[in-house]
Amino acid sequence: MIENTFDTFLEQFNFSESEINNMAPLVLAYIGDAVYEVFIRTLLISEGNIPVHKLHKRSIEYVKAKAQSDIIHRIMEKLNPDELNVVRRGRNAKSGTIPKNADVGEYKYATGFESLIGYLYLRRDNHRLMEVLKMAISEE
């Protein structure tokens, strides 16, 4: 019953390919940031019952701009042309602010990574989204 309710909820948010392709890259990054954060939090709690402050400290290592910048540089050659275009658009987007603890280049590439995650999520390309997320957490 609950599963059906969630499916019904998700059906309200069917974006066309055209709508997704026309979204501002910072909008894709906005939703991508949330999706990646939930993925990392779920990953961390799957490792056992850990105090919340330790979970938070560990999650920062994955979600900070430098980490995301490193990820996108590491996986870039495994992305298809459409995905590379989304990353490029995200990287080149004009953001109003830069976080205190990141340099501009890292922040731009992190935004590209988050844009990619948002793009795959909104397209409901769950298989590819999980491939990219697994690449993100692997050391290869």
Side-chain angles (χ1 to χ4, degrees), residues 74-123:
R74 193 176 71 246
I75 70 171
M76 198 89 81
E77 66 188 29
K78 298 173 184 166
L79 302 179
N80 68 42
D82 289 338
E83 294 166 347
L84 287 169
N85 187 47
V86 170
V87 171
R88 180 191 53 76
R89 288 178 53 224
R91 186 190 68 220
N92 292 336
K94 303 281 188 266
S95 176
T97 61
I98 303 291
K100 292 180 279 188
N101 299 325
D103 77 17
V104 174
E106 289 171 346
Y107 184 72
K108 288 180 172 288
Y109 275 97
T111 302
F113 173 72
E114 291 173 344
S115 297
L116 174 61
I117 299 300
Y119 170 78
L120 294 172
Y121 172 77
L122 291 175
R123 289 186 69 221

Side-chain angles (χ1 to χ4, degrees), residues 4 12 20 32 51 57 77 95 99 101 111 117 125 132-133 135:
N4 292 337
Q12 297 177 44
I20 295 167
K57 285 187 178 279
E77 66 188 29
S95 176
N101 299 325
T111 302
I117 299 300
D125 191 348
V132 170
L133 291 171
M135 284 188 275

Side-chain angles (χ1 to χ4, degrees), residues 1-129:
M1 179 84 158
I2 290 175
E3 187 174 312
N4 292 337
T5 304
F6 189 69
D7 289 340
T8 302
F9 171 76
L10 288 177
E11 289 302 317
Q12 297 177 44
F13 303 107
N14 276 328
F15 296 99
S16 71
E17 191 73 25
S18 174
E19 288 173 311
I20 295 167
N21 289 335
N22 287 316
M23 285 184 182
L26 293 179
V27 171
L28 295 175
Y30 173 78
I31 193 70
D33 175 59
V35 170
Y36 186 60
E37 178 82 27
V38 169
F39 174 77
I40 292 302
R41 288 180 179 207
T42 305
L43 172 73
L44 292 176
I45 67 166
S46 74
E47 295 173 357
N49 197 4
I50 302 169
V52 173
H53 73 280
K54 288 185 180 179
L55 289 169
H56 178 69
K57 285 187 178 279
R58 289 188 62 201
S59 71
I60 289 170
E61 293 305 311
Y62 288 94
V63 300
K64 65 185 178 182
K66 175 164 179 24
Q68 292 180 356
S69 174
D70 291 347
I71 290 166
I72 202 63
H73 281 96
R74 193 176 71 246
I75 70 171
M76 198 89 81
E77 66 188 29
K78 298 173 184 166
L79 302 179
N80 68 42
D82 289 338
E83 294 166 347
L84 287 169
N85 187 47
V86 170
V87 171
R88 180 191 53 76
R89 288 178 53 224
R91 186 190 68 220
N92 292 336
K94 303 281 188 266
S95 176
T97 61
I98 303 291
K100 292 180 279 188
N101 299 325
D103 77 17
V104 174
E106 289 171 346
Y107 184 72
K108 288 180 172 288
Y109 275 97
T111 302
F113 173 72
E114 291 173 344
S115 297
L116 174 61
I117 299 300
Y119 170 78
L120 294 172
Y121 172 77
L122 291 175
R123 289 186 69 221
R124 294 185 178 198
D125 191 348
N126 296 330
H127 179 74
R128 183 60 175 159
L129 175 60

Side-chain angles (χ1 to χ4, degrees), residues 62 74 134-140:
Y62 288 94
R74 193 176 71 246
K134 287 177 183 176
M135 284 188 275
I137 62 170
S138 77
E139 296 296 321
E140 299 173 11

